[in-house]
Amino acid sequence: MMSTLVLRRASRLLLLALLSSWCFGSFSTPVQASPSSLSSSVNEALVQATKASGVPIELLKALAYLEGQFSNHHGQPSVDGGYGSMHLIKNKHGDTLDEAAQDLGVVVDRLKKDLPTNIRGGAAVLHDEALQLSPTHTLPSTLADWYGVVAEYSHSGTRTAALQYADALYGVLETGFRVETESGEVVVLAPQHVTPNTGTAMTIHAVTTGTLPAGCKRDAAVDYSDAIDCILNPAIFDCTPAAAVYPGCTYESSNRPHDLPVRYVAIHDTEGSLQETLQVFQNRYSGVSIHYVIDTDGTVYELLHDKDVGYHVGNYWYNQRSIGIEHIGYDATGFLWYNAAQYLSSAKLTAYLLKKYQIPLDHEHIVGHGTVPSPHQTTNHVDPGPYWLWTYYFELIHRRGVEYPTGHAAEHVITLKPHSDERPLGGNGSETPDNFAFFFLHTGPSTATPLIPQLEPGDITDETSTIETNMSYYYLARCKDPAGTGDTMYAIWYGESDQFPASLQQTAHLAWLAVPPGAATAGLGVPVALVNFTGAGQGTISVYGRPLSGSDVIGTATTGAIFVSGQTSVEDGTTNLWYEINYNHRQAWVPASSIIVMPD
């Protein structure tokens, strides 16, 4: 599992870039073998690279595994301009790709496309950086002492991210591996019982030393210690009481959890670059706000204090009770954007929030924008979309010391946790289109029947005929797909958009969920309840977007419909009890007076 703890590159020490024109010649360079003597075997290349560079072969193996699973990805770069299994970068923050080409005396294209050459190039860069970090310009004497060099090689945006990267690599060393390269060659690393010398990273600070985005600075005036301070000026952006003075404002100052409970962490994507994102949130006329933004390199920016109420999920009741985290990326092409650097930084941030506010580690409380209901008969956003890996994300949070909820499993309940949701399937901690994690519902017990009604047919981010992973549903029947796909078809109650375009109100019907082999986990650890709609003799029961009497009805269900409920809420200022239900792709709410709780 340590292979998932992969960090992506995003920035390089600016000083190194400035000194590169003379640093390469200032220290002894690796002795390179002549091209005619270089082997095309990866294992032989590892031996040759160690001999030429002085970098331990175990370290080279762990790095090539951690970064690229011994694949050069057909010469294609990662989203931040990194090439090959050693992730040699060429972007505005640094250029280890050309550095490696100069050290080896090869053309850049060979580093991009030839795996043995890429490994040698990574070894040469590690050699260079080790000499530059050493006050005596000598290589580390033990495997444990390479820790600081590995942190530097990460080119991460913060010291914390650089150390996370080094920790991940030493985790790979600890566990070892056996892997096939893209050509079928087997590479083996025996477990290395080595305790890293973390003191060698004392000089590693924030690697990004360039200009921060406008309105941001590095200081201690943040809630989350690893964040860069971009906190908005309350005199301009605070709606309480600034709205009386300024024509625009974007958030409400509060004193949570004293004033309001913090029950949710909401996951978003930005649909734009970091600079575009910050410009939106730094515009007091935008009407939207967020607590944190995480860049593709894992750098965290804080824009609101945790205690304040942001406008970010399109549902005011949830806004009052949540903290929002934006991730730079696009939901429809999330496999090109979401990466291990973001996941690791986000998981660390979310673990901090869960501990701070005693929030459970489950998908009922760590929500996506796409699982929050609209409070009215309107649409809501669908981010982070079908490529956000919830199972992988929750496991990273768990490793940060947050326990999973415990309890017994309920009969006839399934939760989807497919292989595609367990880890990024690409190299360099990146995803591929195979990480798609939405599952479709049909009108009958076969994939040959039509999909249930959709608002946006053909849009892979459409959530009106799908569910996502780690949400639980009660099924009334199941059968093998007669169309021969190997899927299992489950009959579940689902709030369908069957009145569109006349109305966006939803209606619960029995629909058939197609589940690939091995993707469904039976039962649910801690259901609050299995909710059976009774309606006190009525034929239909109202479903709401918020647990508030008199709020808008967003849908209906008929007597006898059954849903899983993962949480309850007592309405403010009353004793009215409400049950949250997984109504469709999104949560919804029903009053206790409309349902009975089934025995489990």
Side-chain angles (χ1 to χ4, degrees):
M1 293 300 293
M2 292 305 297
S3 64
T4 61
L5 294 178
V6 183
L7 281 176
R8 297 288 295 282
R9 304 284 165 36
S11 60
R12 174 164 171 72
L13 187 62
L14 182 61
L15 180 59
L16 176 60
L18 294 174
L19 298 178
S20 61
S21 61
W22 59 268
C23 278
F24 296 162
S26 298
F27 309 121
S28 60
T29 57
V31 178
Q32 300 299 331
S34 64
S36 61
S37 67
L38 295 177
S39 171
S40 61
S41 160
V42 170
N43 282 294
E44 291 181 11
L46 286 162
V47 173
Q48 292 169 344
T50 290
K51 183 178 179 180
S53 68
V55 181
I57 191 170
E58 297 85 1
L59 191 72
L60 296 179
K61 287 182 178 181
L63 182 57
Y65 180 83
L66 179 72
E67 278 290 7
Q69 301 273 318
F70 286 93
S71 171
N72 259 34
H73 316 296
H74 308 291
Q76 297 300 309
S78 66
V79 70
D80 50 347
Y83 291 87
S85 199
M86 303 298 276
H87 203 259
L88 300 170
I89 62 168
K90 185 178 178 66
N91 57 35
K92 65 181 179 180
H93 300 295
D95 186 1
T96 60
L97 182 66
D98 285 325
E99 176 184 345
Q102 179 178 334
D103 280 355
L104 299 186
V106 299
V107 295
V108 165
D109 197 56
R110 184 170 174 181
L111 284 164
K112 294 179 180 179
K113 296 180 179 179
D114 182 63
L115 179 57
T117 304
N118 187 267
I119 290 171
R120 296 185 191 100
V125 171
L126 283 164
H127 170 98
D128 292 345
E129 293 182 348
L131 295 181
Q132 291 160 14
L133 284 175
S134 169
T136 59
H137 306 315
T138 57
L139 297 180
S141 59
T142 68
L143 184 59
D145 291 339
W146 282 85
Y147 181 88
V149 180
V150 172
E152 162 62 14
Y153 188 91
S154 75
H155 311 110
S156 300
T158 65
R159 171 178 168 81
T160 297
L163 298 186
Q164 284 180 344
Y165 180 90
D167 290 340
L169 185 136
Y170 276 80
V172 173
L173 287 169
E174 180 70 24
T175 59
F177 59 81
R178 182 183 187 277
V179 67
E180 280 193 16
T181 70
E182 55 192 4
S183 65
E185 185 178 353
V186 175
V187 179
V188 177
L189 173 66
Q192 307 295 309
H193 303 299
V194 56
T195 300
N197 180 2
T198 57
T200 58
M202 292 297 293
T203 60
I204 304 297
H205 298 292
V207 180
T208 303
T209 57
T211 303
L212 289 173
C216 301
K217 55 187 177 295
R218 288 188 176 89
D219 59 25
V222 289
D223 298 299
Y224 181 59
S225 60
D226 289 342
I228 291 173
D229 179 2
C230 307
I231 294 174
L232 302 176
N233 183 348
I236 299 174
F237 292 88
D238 185 4
C239 294
T240 52
V245 180
Y246 293 97
C249 61
T250 63
Y251 78 95
E252 296 175 16
S253 58
S254 183
N255 188 26
R256 300 185 304 177
H258 177 74
D259 298 340
L260 290 161
V262 178
R263 298 176 54 174
Y264 306 98
V265 175
I267 304 300
H268 304 258
D269 76 65
T270 60
E271 300 296 305
S273 69
L274 174 66
Q275 193 57 54
E276 291 168 337
T277 298
L278 293 177
Q279 286 174 353
V280 169
F281 291 126
Q282 291 170 340
N283 177 3
R284 73 168 185 257
Y285 301 104
S286 69
V288 293
S289 52
I290 198 72
H291 295 85
Y292 297 95
V293 175
I294 301 182
D295 201 358
T296 53
D297 69 340
T299 304
V300 180
Y301 301 86
E302 183 173 354
L303 285 86
L304 295 180
H305 287 295
D306 296 345
K307 66 182 180 64
D308 294 328
V309 174
Y311 299 159
H312 59 101
V313 290
N315 184 318
Y316 186 60
W317 187 88
Y318 279 84
N319 279 336
Q320 290 180 309
R321 292 158 175 81
S322 65
I323 290 174
I325 306 175
E326 291 276 6
H327 300 79
I328 301 301
Y330 297 81
D331 50 26
T333 55
F335 63 91
L336 296 175
W337 296 93
Y338 306 144
N339 62 78
Q342 280 185 313
Y343 280 122
L344 282 165
S345 290
S346 183
K348 185 178 181 183
L349 170 58
T350 297
Y352 147 79
L353 294 170
L354 299 191
K355 293 175 183 177
K356 181 175 181 178
Y357 294 107
Q358 297 299 298
I359 301 171
L361 174 52
D362 59 37
H363 203 359
E364 307 292 337
H365 297 87
I366 306 175
V367 297
H369 200 161
T371 57
V372 173
S374 172
H376 313 293
Q377 290 182 36
T378 57
T379 59
N380 206 343
H381 290 204
V382 298
D383 52 313
Y387 295 102
W388 186 261
L389 307 184
W390 291 103
T391 302
Y392 173 60
Y393 186 55
F394 291 160
E395 180 61 20
L396 293 177
I397 297 169
H398 174 62
R399 293 179 188 176
R400 286 282 173 188
V402 182
E403 295 300 321
Y404 289 115
T406 58
H408 61 278
E411 294 287 339
H412 282 258
V413 172
I414 57 169
T415 307
L416 299 191
K417 294 187 178 182
H419 173 68
S420 61
D421 198 49
E422 293 176 350
R423 63 179 178 86
L425 297 176
N428 300 324
S430 64
E431 297 186 23
T432 77
D434 290 335
N435 282 115
F436 187 84
F438 279 6
F439 296 83
F440 292 88
L441 293 109
H442 295 259
T443 55
S446 170
T447 56
T449 63
L451 296 177
I452 65 172
Q454 296 175 279
L455 292 183
E456 300 289 342
D459 183 348
I460 66 169
T461 69
D462 181 87
E463 295 182 342
T464 49
S465 66
T466 62
I467 68 171
E468 65 187 31
T469 64
N470 286 270
M471 294 180 69
S472 300
Y473 300 85
Y474 183 90
Y475 68 90
L476 285 81
R478 65 180 176 182
C479 65
K480 284 295 183 183
D481 180 16
T485 62
D487 292 355
T488 299
M489 308 297 295
Y490 291 88
I492 67 171
W493 286 97
Y494 189 91
E496 298 183 15
S497 300
D498 58 342
Q499 300 181 49
F500 182 79
S503 171
L504 286 170
Q505 182 162 309
Q506 300 151 357
T507 310
H509 296 291
L510 279 176
W512 289 86
L513 174 66
V515 179
T521 298
L524 176 70
V526 283
V528 169
L530 297 178
V531 171
N532 191 327
F533 279 51
T534 63
Q538 304 173 32
T540 60
I541 300 94
S542 296
V543 176
Y544 299 81
R546 297 177 288 183
L548 299 174
S549 300
S551 59
D552 287 353
V553 174
I554 62 171
T556 61
T558 58
T559 300
I562 301 173
F563 297 91
V564 171
S565 174
Q567 57 181 311
T568 60
S569 181
V570 176
E571 185 176 344
D572 295 345
T574 75
T575 59
N576 297 336
L577 180 64
W578 290 74
Y579 283 83
E580 174 270 327
I581 60 172
N582 290 339
Y583 181 54
N584 39 40
H585 200 115
R586 302 180 188 270
Q587 298 178 354
W589 294 87
V590 293
S593 58
S594 293
I595 57 96
I596 59 172
V597 177
M598 296 173 57
D600 51 40

